[in-house]
Amino acid sequence: MLRELLARTEQIDDLRHLFGALGFHAAWEPVPPGPWLGPAQAEAAGVMRAALVARHAAFRVFAIEARDPERAVRAAAQRLAAQAERGLACALGSGPRRLVCASWRATARGSGGGGGGGGGGSPAVRLATIPLERPPGGALDTLERFSPLAGETSLALSLRIGEALASEGVTPRFFKAFRATLERLTDRLGAPRSRTERHTLALTALTRVLFLYFVQAKGWLDGDRRYLIHRFDESVATRRHFHRQVFDPLCFGALNRPAAGRSGVARALGRLPFLNGGLFEPTAL
């Protein structure tokens, strides 16, 4: 559905339908570009018109028509930060056709810059570009993460969208960190004796954890996007062994078998999918 909506998006008027499909309340309220962004900023970005196209509580989504969409959304995000307003700025670009989105988040004190943003430090503008034609899966995932959750406050939504935008372009850093973590875990394992086997065991464990977080982000773990954190907190609070009481039955008693074949311990973990791919099958290691 999102692919079709993106392909049909030709002008900023269409963005209200896109964000409506994501779960926002669609709107259309024209905003004078000069008074909103400042005459100099609006002129520099070639802003021709702007409008409020969607909202969720106090969180607002603005659409901007401009010759320089990246510059326009950055200016809009900076304006939102200056007023400590929760929102998202979007613009459409051509050559290639793309949707450009920007928001802001406050950084920690001492991380550089001045005040503003209503947070602990200077505001940092985050930007993502989503192709309108044949968008990759990662771009669609980013867009889906914009969807408001039931009962979510504008602050919580703003923080979550900021995280989604911040995750754009981190792939090289991620793989570098993943390799470093894999090597450290391999070196610290006491068994098996062969480093090749320890490396295989460490890689399997990390892959399982990463896949669990992917499944969790989709809401497939009992409908809870923070399922693992909540289960870990419960284990700590009740002094239960997380690995024995949660992680093992989750991986090897629930996710690797149909619901009808699960034990009572596994069923107590909630509504969980059957992932018939072999990743959660016990190994000889």
Side-chain angles (χ1 to χ4, degrees), residues 177-254:
F178 182 88
R179 285 194 297 269
T181 302
L182 176 59
E183 292 304 315
R184 287 199 303 271
L185 183 56
T186 299
D187 291 338
R188 292 178 182 179
L189 286 175
R193 296 183 63 180
S194 164
R195 193 179 195 283
T196 299
E197 291 182 337
R198 294 202 310 273
H199 184 275
T200 300
L201 181 60
L203 179 60
T204 301
L206 286 177
T207 303
R208 283 170 177 160
V209 171
L210 284 175
F211 193 78
L212 280 175
Y213 268 85
F214 167 77
V215 173
Q216 175 182 258
K218 293 290 186 181
W220 295 346
L221 298 183
D222 203 31
D224 186 354
R225 294 178 187 269
R226 293 174 61 83
Y227 178 88
L228 295 172
I229 293 174
H230 290 155
R231 290 289 180 173
F232 182 80
D233 288 344
E234 290 172 4
S235 297
V236 172
T238 57
R239 297 185 177 182
R240 298 166 63 215
H241 195 286
F242 175 76
H243 202 279
R244 286 198 300 265
Q245 300 296 323
V246 177
F247 195 79
D248 272 359
L250 173 65
C251 293
F252 309 123

Side-chain angles (χ1 to χ4, degrees), residues 240 244-246 249-250 253-254 262-270 272:
R240 298 166 63 215
R244 286 198 300 265
Q245 300 296 323
V246 177
L250 173 65
R262 295 173 185 173
S263 68
V265 173
R267 288 197 298 271
L269 294 175
L272 303 170

